[in-house]
Structures are given as C-alpha cells and as structure tokens.
C-alpha cells in the first residue's frame, strides 16, 4: 500500500514542501511507494513555492483510513493531524517541535526530532549523499522550507545548520537568497483574499495556561499595515473564532519580518494583562509593539503568563 | 547542572550500559557534564557486565527533581520512568521501542528512535567517527548491550546493523562473541537469589487488551529448568503480584535462549484461552511450549488475544 506523507493542518511552506521531499526520497531512493498529501489548502507562500518550482499541488485529504501507512512530518501533535491518525499505521515521524504526549505507534519505528528551524533541514541530513540525485524542483522546495521557517535567517530558531544548507542549495540552484525570499514573503503577505476568521486560523497553535485556553495565531508579513488596517474587524472576529474552536481567547501576533518585531492586538483587559506580564510591555490602546519578537516557539509560547 | 542519563526501571544490560555510553559521549565529546544513573538494582547480567569491564555501578535514584536536565534512553514510557519525569527538563530521548503517548518536552529536543534491536546500536550511529575515542570499558558495555538485547543475534529483533556493529566491537576488544555471550547468559540465568515476586517483576511490561490488564513478564535463561522447577510457587505469587500492581493477570514466558523457545506458565483458564488464541497452541497441563518465541516486542505483545 502506498505510504501517505503529510505535515500539519493549515499547511505552510514546510508542511507542504517536506512531504514532497520525503515522498521523493521514499520513492526514488528507498524504493517504497509514497505520495505527498496535504491536510488543507496550502497558504499563499506555499502555493507560490509549488508554482515557482513546477511542483504539482499534492492532493488534499480530510482523514486517514485504518491501517493506512503514513509518515508524519513537521508536527507530532494529534490536534494538528487527521482525526484517525492513531488508527493509521504510523511508519515514521520527522519533526522539529517539542514532543507532546499524543501519537502512538504499533511497533518501534524511525522517529527523528531535532531542534533545528526546519523539517527540511533534518531531511537533508537524513538523505545524506543521496542529495546528489534530488531533482531541482525538490531542492527548490527544500530551500523554500528553510527560508520560510527561518524568515530568511532572522528568526531566533535559525541554526548554523539551517543556514549552511540553505546557502548550499541556493548555490546549486543559482538562486539569489535575498531576492527569492522577498518573493516568497510578498506571496505570504498578500492576505487580501482571506476573511478575518481565516486569517486568525491560518498559522495558529492551541496553548493552555492553567485555567485559560488560547489560540496563539501568528501572521508573518512584510506588509503589516495590510493586516493592522483590519484590526477592528479582526478583534471582533476573535470572539466568534474562540467560541467556535472551544478556546477562551485568540491572540494575534502580526510579525513584521523586515523590521523584526511583532504587533499584538489587544482587544480586552485579559490580553492587556497578559502582554504586560509576558513581554514586560506597557500597553496603551488596542495594539502593542514587541521589538525583536518573531518566533512563537522560542519567544511567544515560553513567555506567556497571566 | 549535570545532566542525568537513565534507562528504564528494573534495569537490564541495555538500560545499564546505554546510560554509561551516552554520559561518556556527553562528557568527553560534547563537553556537557553528564552522569549515568539507574532506576533500580541492575539485573544479574548487567551486574556481571559492569564487573567484567571494570565500570563503576551507577548511583541508583528513586525520582528526579523539577527542572533536572535528563536524557532518557531505552524507553519512552513514563510507566517505566521516575514519577516526576515530566517535571524534569528532558533534553534528549534515544530509544528503540514503540512510541507511547506519554513524555512531553518543553521545547524541541533531540529525539531518535529507530527499529533496531538495541539502544547502544543507535548510539554507535550517532557517535560516528568519535567512536575512535571511546575507552575499552565503554566499548565493552556497548557490545554487551547488543549481545543481551539480541540474545546473541537469535532474537527476531536483530538487524544487520546490530550484528555488524557487535562483530566490529568484538574484534576491537579481542573478545570471542560465543564465549562472552555464554558468560553473560549464565550470569542472567542465575536467579537463585530472587524471590518469586522479584522474578515476575524483573523484566516485565504492562499491556492491556480491551477489559484486561496484563503484566507480560519474560525471563531469558540458558537454564529454564531452574525457573520451571519453581512453577507452583511462581503461579501462586502471580495472584499477589497482580493484586499489588493493579493488573488482572501476570503472564510469565520463560525464554530458553539456546533452544530458541518459550515456555508459558498456565495457571488458569484465562491464560489457557489466551495461549490457544494467541499462539495457536494446544495447552495440556500448566505449561505450554511455544517454539521459536523469543521476543516480547516482536512475537508476544503483537499476538496477544483473548
């Protein structure tokens, strides 16, 4: 049976590109039938990357059947995976997020989690000398994953390994990193087609402090004004999204990639108190700028306090 | 703070040797202060190995403090780890068992799980060229872990990698694998000092079928008669151990390493039915021989049915 390779729901560039990379590796190098799939429509940056490298958009699936062989990449969190994921036959996990107690496997399998910025970087290490056989399009996906997850090396999650591998790939592909990243980020920044609720759910993780559940949403953009001009309706939409998703509060951090800062929307006193305690900020009005904050994983989630 | 490296409770050779190997690697190669510790008295084989290679017996700990940096090896199951393990700062996991939903980490960390017979084999791959600097005693521990977990390559969990690495180590150490494994298994087989309850808990994993909880115990031995002569009192002790440990039934498989078969004790109709359904066996009397059965992971647990 063909193994399905997928990342998390609301696929970003890493969760779109890494399944393509790994399915290529399983098919062409390991001789195991595999197919990349998506758990939703890719975001605008990921859609740009597919087009730029002439890659077919993977099929979108809504769930997995019992006993379906699967490889999971870029997450290990069942909340971001198909409802029946633990009914599937999980054959491998490649990820760079913290381990949450959730997935179970039937036997011992290959699991590789490393504290690197990007899943594709781990795959580069695992593929090793077989990288020589990787076609240009798949290499393009790999470079794109790294530039996306590191925000062109600006994010504090960036490691020397991510950076060195991206430069190596860019040289092989004859790509200017600065120009190409700018095109990617412009694609990601065009959020005009999305509703407020879609924006709030686009890049979002649930997180719980004692007594309060959050949806911690991030929008990485080179055009923060485009999002902040919609702040009134976004704040209104937070209440509906929170109620629908069973959380107490949605937090929206608008990350300004070029200026390396985040703007947090402050719709109420709960978020005001959280912003002041978590980021040592003084809040006046309904937004607060957090200088240097770019990474949910490294800078937002670990600091959240009520 | 010094990182503590430990395996599972009721330490066997892999859970005694692998912490020693990894603490050596962290201290001497990575320059990170680390110390191997045990979660209980090592079994007789592991004690023999420590003595044979002049290795200090690691300190035995009963729990870990909040925020204590730890690396966990040879398990990822909280039921086999200190009660406060999720309060510790888990820095790494190296294992060869199925993933159970249990451990949580604070951030992304290095996790490496592979379907090899032995944790030490995975470590050999991770240590790579730095193996050249490993002292003889630590190499001896590594060889011992592989021979123990593979039952000298007889277990169906054995892979070509486990085997090749063991032969390489034996050559470097000038050890005859057959002779040395026989000494190890003789040490493991001397169970005269243990009470019935200790024998039942010595190498045991909890496993649940719908409605029934089991303790699946295995005794690997070159002298099965020594255990089977005690079968009446062992079967009596099963009831006490089951009650004390909150399970419905203890199963004891006495694995005859040299004849490559297991004898299951059959104290009641529940176990009789289970033996017949799980292993297609015909049970007469209070024991049943299961030809070829040597591995709980590959042959016992996956087949259990009621």
């Amino acid at each position: 049976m063909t193994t399905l390779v997928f990342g998390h729901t609301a696929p970003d560039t890493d969760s779109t590109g890494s399944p393509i990379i790994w399915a290529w590796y399983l098919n062409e190098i390991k001789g195991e039938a595999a197919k990349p799939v998506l758990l939703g429509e890719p975001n605008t940056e990921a859609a740009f990357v597919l087009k730029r490298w002439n890659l077919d958009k993977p099929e979108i699936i809504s769930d997995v059947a019992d006993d379906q062989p699967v490889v999971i990449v870029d997450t290990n969190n069942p909340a971001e995976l198909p409802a029946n994921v633990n009914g599937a036959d999980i054959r491998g996990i490649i990820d760079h997020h913290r381990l949450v107690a959730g997935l179970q496997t039937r036997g011992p399998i290959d699991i590789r989690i490393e504290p690197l910025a990007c899943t594709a970087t781990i795959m580069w290490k695992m593929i090793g000398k077989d990288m020589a056989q990787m076609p240009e399009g798949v290499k393009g996906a790999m470079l794109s994953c790294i530039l996306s997850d590191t925000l062109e090396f600006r994010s504090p999650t960036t490691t020397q390994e991510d950076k060195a591998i991206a430069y190596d790939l860019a040289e092989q592909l004859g790509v200017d990193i600065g120009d190409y990243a700018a095109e990617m980020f412009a694609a990601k920044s065009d959020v005009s087609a999305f509703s407020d609720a879609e924006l709030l759910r686009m890049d979002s993780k649930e997180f719980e402090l004692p007594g309060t559940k959050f949806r911690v949403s991030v929008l990485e953009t080179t055009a923060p004004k485009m999002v902040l001009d919609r702040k009134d309706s976004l704040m209104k939409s937070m209440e509906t999204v929170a109620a629908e998703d069973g959380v107490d509060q949605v937090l929206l951090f608008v990350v300004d990639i070029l200026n390396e800062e985040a703007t947090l929307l402050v719709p109420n006193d709960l978020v005001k108190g959280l912003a002041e305690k978590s980021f040592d900020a003084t809040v006046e009005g309904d937004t607060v700028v957090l200088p240097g904050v770019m990474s949910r994983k490294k800078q937002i989630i670990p600091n959240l306090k009520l």
Side-chain angles (χ1 to χ4, degrees), chain A residues 119-159:
Chain A
T119 307
T121 308
I122 305 171
M123 291 179 174
W124 186 93
K125 294 170 69 179
M126 295 175 81
I127 295 171
K129 62 174 176 32
D130 295 315
M131 279 300 302
Q133 295 178 59
M134 186 180 277
E136 195 169 74
V138 183
K139 279 187 187 159
M142 194 173 244
L143 172 63
S144 307
C145 291
I146 302 176
L147 294 176
S148 173
D149 269 8
T150 62
L151 298 172
E152 198 193 350
F153 319 129
R154 291 179 180 90
S155 169
T157 59
T158 310
T159 69

mmCIF file of all heavy atoms in Angstrom, chain A residues 119-159:
data_model
loop_
_atom_site.group_PDB
_atom_site.id
_atom_site.type_symbol
_atom_site.label_atom_id
_atom_site.label_comp_id
_atom_site.label_asym_id
_atom_site.label_seq_id
_atom_site.Cartn_x
_atom_site.Cartn_y
_atom_site.Cartn_z
ATOM 1 N N THR A 119 11.963 21.306 9.248
ATOM 2 C CA THR A 119 11.928 19.863 8.996
ATOM 3 C C THR A 119 12.825 19.486 7.818
ATOM 4 O O THR A 119 13.515 18.458 7.849
ATOM 5 C CB THR A 119 10.491 19.412 8.677
ATOM 6 O OG1 THR A 119 9.620 19.871 9.713
ATOM 7 C CG2 THR A 119 10.389 17.904 8.566
ATOM 8 N N ALA A 120 12.807 20.329 6.779
ATOM 9 C CA ALA A 120 13.575 20.006 5.582
ATOM 10 C C ALA A 120 15.074 19.918 5.882
ATOM 11 O O ALA A 120 15.800 19.155 5.242
ATOM 12 C CB ALA A 120 13.301 21.039 4.489
ATOM 13 N N THR A 121 15.542 20.680 6.865
ATOM 14 C CA THR A 121 16.957 20.621 7.253
ATOM 15 C C THR A 121 17.300 19.240 7.821
ATOM 16 O O THR A 121 18.353 18.673 7.524
ATOM 17 C CB THR A 121 17.273 21.707 8.305
ATOM 18 O OG1 THR A 121 16.820 22.966 7.815
ATOM 19 C CG2 THR A 121 18.755 21.774 8.600
ATOM 20 N N ILE A 122 16.403 18.698 8.634
ATOM 21 C CA ILE A 122 16.616 17.348 9.190
ATOM 22 C C ILE A 122 16.638 16.335 8.046
ATOM 23 O O ILE A 122 17.469 15.423 8.014
ATOM 24 C CB ILE A 122 15.508 16.993 10.207
ATOM 25 C CG1 ILE A 122 15.421 18.061 11.298
ATOM 26 C CG2 ILE A 122 15.761 15.607 10.827
ATOM 27 C CD1 ILE A 122 14.204 17.907 12.214
ATOM 28 N N MET A 123 15.734 16.513 7.081
ATOM 29 C CA MET A 123 15.681 15.585 5.942
ATOM 30 C C MET A 123 16.982 15.641 5.144
ATOM 31 O O MET A 123 17.477 14.607 4.696
ATOM 32 C CB MET A 123 14.495 15.928 5.041
ATOM 33 C CG MET A 123 13.168 15.630 5.720
ATOM 34 S SD MET A 123 11.771 16.073 4.660
ATOM 35 C CE MET A 123 10.429 15.415 5.673
ATOM 36 N N TRP A 124 17.519 16.828 4.962
ATOM 37 C CA TRP A 124 18.801 16.972 4.245
ATOM 38 C C TRP A 124 19.854 16.082 4.909
ATOM 39 O O TRP A 124 20.601 15.362 4.239
ATOM 40 C CB TRP A 124 19.240 18.440 4.273
ATOM 41 C CG TRP A 124 20.445 18.768 3.470
ATOM 42 C CD1 TRP A 124 20.481 19.205 2.179
ATOM 43 C CD2 TRP A 124 21.818 18.700 3.910
ATOM 44 N NE1 TRP A 124 21.783 19.416 1.786
ATOM 45 C CE2 TRP A 124 22.621 19.112 2.814
ATOM 46 C CE3 TRP A 124 22.445 18.345 5.099
ATOM 47 C CZ2 TRP A 124 24.024 19.176 2.904
ATOM 48 C CZ3 TRP A 124 23.823 18.395 5.186
ATOM 49 C CH2 TRP A 124 24.598 18.805 4.093
ATOM 50 N N LYS A 125 19.890 16.116 6.267
ATOM 51 C CA LYS A 125 20.864 15.303 7.000
ATOM 52 C C LYS A 125 20.580 13.810 6.832
ATOM 53 O O LYS A 125 21.501 12.999 6.711
ATOM 54 C CB LYS A 125 20.834 15.676 8.486
ATOM 55 C CG LYS A 125 21.307 17.100 8.751
ATOM 56 C CD LYS A 125 21.040 17.548 10.174
ATOM 57 C CE LYS A 125 21.900 16.813 11.191
ATOM 58 N NZ LYS A 125 21.632 17.303 12.571
ATOM 59 N N MET A 126 19.311 13.440 6.828
ATOM 60 C CA MET A 126 18.955 12.028 6.720
ATOM 61 C C MET A 126 19.206 11.497 5.303
ATOM 62 O O MET A 126 19.563 10.339 5.121
ATOM 63 C CB MET A 126 17.485 11.813 7.100
ATOM 64 C CG MET A 126 17.203 12.126 8.567
ATOM 65 S SD MET A 126 15.436 12.026 9.002
ATOM 66 C CE MET A 126 15.241 10.245 9.207
ATOM 67 N N ILE A 127 19.005 12.350 4.308
ATOM 68 C CA ILE A 127 19.176 11.916 2.918
ATOM 69 C C ILE A 127 20.660 11.773 2.570
ATOM 70 O O ILE A 127 21.059 10.895 1.799
ATOM 71 C CB ILE A 127 18.443 12.893 1.961
ATOM 72 C CG1 ILE A 127 16.926 12.821 2.212
ATOM 73 C CG2 ILE A 127 18.768 12.598 0.497
ATOM 74 C CD1 ILE A 127 16.107 13.875 1.499
ATOM 75 N N GLY A 128 21.484 12.606 3.199
ATOM 76 C CA GLY A 128 22.936 12.453 3.077
ATOM 77 C C GLY A 128 23.420 12.516 1.639
ATOM 78 O O GLY A 128 23.019 13.384 0.872
ATOM 79 N N LYS A 129 24.233 11.545 1.266
ATOM 80 C CA LYS A 129 24.867 11.576 -0.059
ATOM 81 C C LYS A 129 23.847 11.409 -1.198
ATOM 82 O O LYS A 129 24.123 11.769 -2.340
ATOM 83 C CB LYS A 129 25.972 10.530 -0.154
ATOM 84 C CG LYS A 129 25.469 9.108 0.014
ATOM 85 C CD LYS A 129 26.558 8.086 -0.233
ATOM 86 C CE LYS A 129 26.054 6.662 0.029
ATOM 87 N NZ LYS A 129 24.624 6.369 -0.251
ATOM 88 N N ASP A 130 22.669 10.886 -0.890
ATOM 89 C CA ASP A 130 21.644 10.744 -1.930
ATOM 90 C C ASP A 130 21.057 12.086 -2.368
ATOM 91 O O ASP A 130 20.298 12.142 -3.343
ATOM 92 C CB ASP A 130 20.521 9.809 -1.453
ATOM 93 C CG ASP A 130 21.023 8.386 -1.251
ATOM 94 O OD1 ASP A 130 21.753 7.899 -2.130
ATOM 95 O OD2 ASP A 130 20.709 7.772 -0.217
ATOM 96 N N MET A 131 21.422 13.173 -1.670
ATOM 97 C CA MET A 131 21.039 14.524 -2.121
ATOM 98 C C MET A 131 21.480 14.750 -3.564
ATOM 99 O O MET A 131 20.835 15.509 -4.296
ATOM 100 C CB MET A 131 21.691 15.591 -1.230
ATOM 101 C CG MET A 131 21.007 15.882 0.084
ATOM 102 S SD MET A 131 19.297 16.489 -0.042
ATOM 103 C CE MET A 131 19.497 17.976 -1.037
ATOM 104 N N ALA A 132 22.572 14.076 -3.964
ATOM 105 C CA ALA A 132 23.104 14.257 -5.320
ATOM 106 C C ALA A 132 22.065 13.899 -6.387
ATOM 107 O O ALA A 132 22.116 14.411 -7.501
ATOM 108 C CB ALA A 132 24.360 13.402 -5.501
ATOM 109 N N GLN A 133 21.131 13.013 -6.027
ATOM 110 C CA GLN A 133 20.137 12.578 -7.016
ATOM 111 C C GLN A 133 18.847 13.388 -6.989
ATOM 112 O O GLN A 133 17.927 13.126 -7.756
ATOM 113 C CB GLN A 133 19.802 11.106 -6.773
ATOM 114 C CG GLN A 133 21.000 10.200 -7.027
ATOM 115 C CD GLN A 133 20.653 8.760 -6.733
ATOM 116 O OE1 GLN A 133 19.733 8.211 -7.333
ATOM 117 N NE2 GLN A 133 21.367 8.152 -5.814
ATOM 118 N N MET A 134 18.759 14.353 -6.073
ATOM 119 C CA MET A 134 17.500 15.089 -5.922
ATOM 120 C C MET A 134 17.292 16.054 -7.087
ATOM 121 O O MET A 134 18.178 16.832 -7.412
ATOM 122 C CB MET A 134 17.518 15.852 -4.593
ATOM 123 C CG MET A 134 16.211 16.536 -4.266
ATOM 124 S SD MET A 134 16.282 17.423 -2.688
ATOM 125 C CE MET A 134 15.969 16.093 -1.537
ATOM 126 N N PRO A 135 16.123 16.001 -7.725
ATOM 127 C CA PRO A 135 15.869 16.926 -8.843
ATOM 128 C C PRO A 135 15.739 18.380 -8.358
ATOM 129 O O PRO A 135 15.474 18.631 -7.184
ATOM 130 C CB PRO A 135 14.551 16.426 -9.430
ATOM 131 C CG PRO A 135 13.927 15.566 -8.399
ATOM 132 C CD PRO A 135 15.002 15.084 -7.476
ATOM 133 N N GLU A 136 15.900 19.290 -9.315
ATOM 134 C CA GLU A 136 15.917 20.715 -8.996
ATOM 135 C C GLU A 136 14.653 21.177 -8.250
ATOM 136 O O GLU A 136 14.739 21.919 -7.270
ATOM 137 C CB GLU A 136 16.077 21.502 -10.305
ATOM 138 C CG GLU A 136 16.455 22.934 -10.078
ATOM 139 C CD GLU A 136 16.861 23.619 -11.387
ATOM 140 O OE1 GLU A 136 15.960 23.903 -12.193
ATOM 141 O OE2 GLU A 136 18.066 23.867 -11.567
ATOM 142 N N GLY A 137 13.506 20.731 -8.700
ATOM 143 C CA GLY A 137 12.255 21.181 -8.084
ATOM 144 C C GLY A 137 12.173 20.822 -6.606
ATOM 145 O O GLY A 137 11.725 21.621 -5.774
ATOM 146 N N VAL A 138 12.615 19.609 -6.266
ATOM 147 C CA VAL A 138 12.555 19.168 -4.872
ATOM 148 C C VAL A 138 13.586 19.947 -4.042
ATOM 149 O O VAL A 138 13.328 20.336 -2.896
ATOM 150 C CB VAL A 138 12.774 17.640 -4.781
ATOM 151 C CG1 VAL A 138 12.637 17.158 -3.343
ATOM 152 C CG2 VAL A 138 11.778 16.911 -5.674
ATOM 153 N N LYS A 139 14.746 20.202 -4.644
ATOM 154 C CA LYS A 139 15.735 21.060 -3.960
ATOM 155 C C LYS A 139 15.175 22.458 -3.729
ATOM 156 O O LYS A 139 15.416 23.069 -2.694
ATOM 157 C CB LYS A 139 17.010 21.175 -4.803
ATOM 158 C CG LYS A 139 17.948 20.010 -4.654
ATOM 159 C CD LYS A 139 19.255 20.277 -5.388
ATOM 160 C CE LYS A 139 20.129 19.034 -5.367
ATOM 161 N NZ LYS A 139 21.139 19.046 -6.427
ATOM 162 N N GLY A 140 14.417 22.942 -4.722
ATOM 163 C CA GLY A 140 13.792 24.263 -4.581
ATOM 164 C C GLY A 140 12.813 24.275 -3.409
ATOM 165 O O GLY A 140 12.754 25.235 -2.629
ATOM 166 N N ALA A 141 12.059 23.189 -3.273
ATOM 167 C CA ALA A 141 11.128 23.085 -2.141
ATOM 168 C C ALA A 141 11.903 23.113 -0.825
ATOM 169 O O ALA A 141 11.512 23.777 0.140
ATOM 170 C CB ALA A 141 10.312 21.796 -2.251
ATOM 171 N N MET A 142 13.032 22.401 -0.791
ATOM 172 C CA MET A 142 13.840 22.326 0.429
ATOM 173 C C MET A 142 14.374 23.710 0.819
ATOM 174 O O MET A 142 14.271 24.128 1.976
ATOM 175 C CB MET A 142 14.989 21.350 0.169
ATOM 176 C CG MET A 142 15.726 20.899 1.394
ATOM 177 S SD MET A 142 16.924 19.576 0.944
ATOM 178 C CE MET A 142 16.261 18.197 1.852
ATOM 179 N N LEU A 143 14.921 24.417 -0.148
ATOM 180 C CA LEU A 143 15.413 25.774 0.115
ATOM 181 C C LEU A 143 14.267 26.661 0.619
ATOM 182 O O LEU A 143 14.422 27.418 1.590
ATOM 183 C CB LEU A 143 16.016 26.370 -1.169
ATOM 184 C CG LEU A 143 16.392 27.847 -1.110
ATOM 185 C CD1 LEU A 143 17.490 28.094 -0.071
ATOM 186 C CD2 LEU A 143 16.853 28.344 -2.491
ATOM 187 N N SER A 144 13.101 26.536 -0.016
ATOM 188 C CA SER A 144 11.957 27.371 0.357
ATOM 189 C C SER A 144 11.513 27.095 1.793
ATOM 190 O O SER A 144 11.183 28.014 2.547
ATOM 191 C CB SER A 144 10.785 27.101 -0.591
ATOM 192 O OG SER A 144 11.191 27.237 -1.943
ATOM 193 N N CYS A 145 11.502 25.818 2.188
ATOM 194 C CA CYS A 145 11.114 25.458 3.559
ATOM 195 C C CYS A 145 12.029 26.153 4.564
ATOM 196 O O CYS A 145 11.578 26.708 5.562
ATOM 197 C CB CYS A 145 11.203 23.943 3.770
ATOM 198 S SG CYS A 145 9.974 22.983 2.868
ATOM 199 N N ILE A 146 13.331 26.114 4.278
ATOM 200 C CA ILE A 146 14.283 26.698 5.233
ATOM 201 C C ILE A 146 14.121 28.220 5.298
ATOM 202 O O ILE A 146 14.073 28.810 6.377
ATOM 203 C CB ILE A 146 15.738 26.314 4.880
ATOM 204 C CG1 ILE A 146 15.894 24.784 4.869
ATOM 205 C CG2 ILE A 146 16.716 26.938 5.877
ATOM 206 C CD1 ILE A 146 17.276 24.293 4.432
ATOM 207 N N LEU A 147 14.012 28.861 4.135
ATOM 208 C CA LEU A 147 13.859 30.324 4.140
ATOM 209 C C LEU A 147 12.560 30.731 4.822
ATOM 210 O O LEU A 147 12.494 31.733 5.530
ATOM 211 C CB LEU A 147 13.907 30.860 2.703
ATOM 212 C CG LEU A 147 15.263 30.689 2.008
ATOM 213 C CD1 LEU A 147 15.179 31.170 0.561
ATOM 214 C CD2 LEU A 147 16.361 31.443 2.771
ATOM 215 N N SER A 148 11.518 29.937 4.632
ATOM 216 C CA SER A 148 10.223 30.248 5.239
ATOM 217 C C SER A 148 10.276 30.108 6.760
ATOM 218 O O SER A 148 9.923 31.021 7.498
ATOM 219 C CB SER A 148 9.166 29.308 4.662
ATOM 220 O OG SER A 148 7.937 29.459 5.338
ATOM 221 N N ASP A 149 10.769 28.951 7.235
ATOM 222 C CA ASP A 149 10.756 28.719 8.680
ATOM 223 C C ASP A 149 11.757 29.604 9.425
ATOM 224 O O ASP A 149 11.563 29.907 10.605
ATOM 225 C CB ASP A 149 11.034 27.239 8.992
ATOM 226 C CG ASP A 149 9.734 26.434 9.061
ATOM 227 O OD1 ASP A 149 8.679 26.989 8.716
ATOM 228 O OD2 ASP A 149 9.777 25.255 9.466
ATOM 229 N N THR A 150 12.834 29.996 8.764
ATOM 230 C CA THR A 150 13.805 30.881 9.445
ATOM 231 C C THR A 150 13.512 32.353 9.186
ATOM 232 O O THR A 150 14.228 33.209 9.695
ATOM 233 C CB THR A 150 15.252 30.619 8.956
ATOM 234 O OG1 THR A 150 15.323 30.921 7.551
ATOM 235 C CG2 THR A 150 15.702 29.187 9.204
ATOM 236 N N LEU A 151 12.495 32.656 8.386
ATOM 237 C CA LEU A 151 12.263 34.043 7.957
ATOM 238 C C LEU A 151 13.562 34.636 7.414
ATOM 239 O O LEU A 151 14.015 35.689 7.837
ATOM 240 C CB LEU A 151 11.705 34.879 9.119
ATOM 241 C CG LEU A 151 10.336 34.418 9.664
ATOM 242 C CD1 LEU A 151 9.975 35.182 10.913
ATOM 243 C CD2 LEU A 151 9.243 34.566 8.613
ATOM 244 N N GLU A 152 14.131 33.932 6.465
ATOM 245 C CA GLU A 152 15.436 34.289 5.881
ATOM 246 C C GLU A 152 16.482 34.521 6.973
ATOM 247 O O GLU A 152 17.169 35.551 6.984
ATOM 248 C CB GLU A 152 15.313 35.513 4.958
ATOM 249 C CG GLU A 152 16.503 35.658 4.007
ATOM 250 C CD GLU A 152 16.537 37.022 3.320
ATOM 251 O OE1 GLU A 152 15.559 37.778 3.434
ATOM 252 O OE2 GLU A 152 17.552 37.304 2.683
ATOM 253 N N PHE A 153 16.590 33.558 7.902
ATOM 254 C CA PHE A 153 17.611 33.528 8.958
ATOM 255 C C PHE A 153 17.409 34.603 10.028
ATOM 256 O O PHE A 153 18.267 34.800 10.887
ATOM 257 C CB PHE A 153 19.034 33.642 8.383
ATOM 258 C CG PHE A 153 19.248 32.835 7.135
ATOM 259 C CD1 PHE A 153 19.796 33.406 5.997
ATOM 260 C CD2 PHE A 153 18.884 31.498 7.085
ATOM 261 C CE1 PHE A 153 19.989 32.668 4.836
ATOM 262 C CE2 PHE A 153 19.071 30.738 5.930
ATOM 263 C CZ PHE A 153 19.622 31.330 4.804
ATOM 264 N N ARG A 154 16.259 35.312 10.001
ATOM 265 C CA ARG A 154 16.029 36.345 11.017
ATOM 266 C C ARG A 154 15.473 35.751 12.299
ATOM 267 O O ARG A 154 15.621 36.332 13.368
ATOM 268 C CB ARG A 154 15.023 37.369 10.485
ATOM 269 C CG ARG A 154 15.545 38.228 9.344
ATOM 270 C CD ARG A 154 14.445 39.191 8.902
ATOM 271 N NE ARG A 154 14.870 40.044 7.797
ATOM 272 C CZ ARG A 154 14.716 39.741 6.516
ATOM 273 N NH1 ARG A 154 14.150 38.587 6.172
ATOM 274 N NH2 ARG A 154 15.116 40.581 5.578
ATOM 275 N N SER A 155 14.772 34.613 12.197
ATOM 276 C CA SER A 155 14.145 34.039 13.388
ATOM 277 C C SER A 155 15.201 33.470 14.330
ATOM 278 O O SER A 155 16.198 32.891 13.890
ATOM 279 C CB SER A 155 13.190 32.923 12.983
ATOM 280 O OG SER A 155 12.785 32.210 14.136
ATOM 281 N N PRO A 156 14.998 33.642 15.642
ATOM 282 C CA PRO A 156 15.958 33.075 16.606
ATOM 283 C C PRO A 156 15.975 31.549 16.615
ATOM 284 O O PRO A 156 16.820 30.955 17.277
ATOM 285 C CB PRO A 156 15.487 33.631 17.960
ATOM 286 C CG PRO A 156 14.054 33.962 17.752
ATOM 287 C CD PRO A 156 13.909 34.361 16.312
ATOM 288 N N THR A 157 15.069 30.908 15.897
ATOM 289 C CA THR A 157 15.120 29.442 15.795
ATOM 290 C C THR A 157 16.213 28.985 14.818
ATOM 291 O O THR A 157 16.569 27.810 14.789
ATOM 292 C CB THR A 157 13.777 28.872 15.275
ATOM 293 O OG1 THR A 157 13.508 29.446 13.994
ATOM 294 C CG2 THR A 157 12.639 29.183 16.230
ATOM 295 N N THR A 158 16.728 29.907 14.015
ATOM 296 C CA THR A 158 17.729 29.575 12.991
ATOM 297 C C THR A 158 18.999 28.989 13.608
ATOM 298 O O THR A 158 19.516 29.530 14.580
ATOM 299 C CB THR A 158 18.118 30.847 12.206
ATOM 300 O OG1 THR A 158 16.928 31.504 11.785
ATOM 301 C CG2 THR A 158 19.001 30.504 11.011
ATOM 302 N N THR A 159 19.482 27.892 13.051
ATOM 303 C CA THR A 159 20.762 27.325 13.494
ATOM 304 C C THR A 159 21.772 27.445 12.351
ATOM 305 O O THR A 159 21.413 27.693 11.204
ATOM 306 C CB THR A 159 20.629 25.833 13.865
ATOM 307 O OG1 THR A 159 20.396 25.093 12.655
ATOM 308 C CG2 THR A 159 19.493 25.585 14.846
#
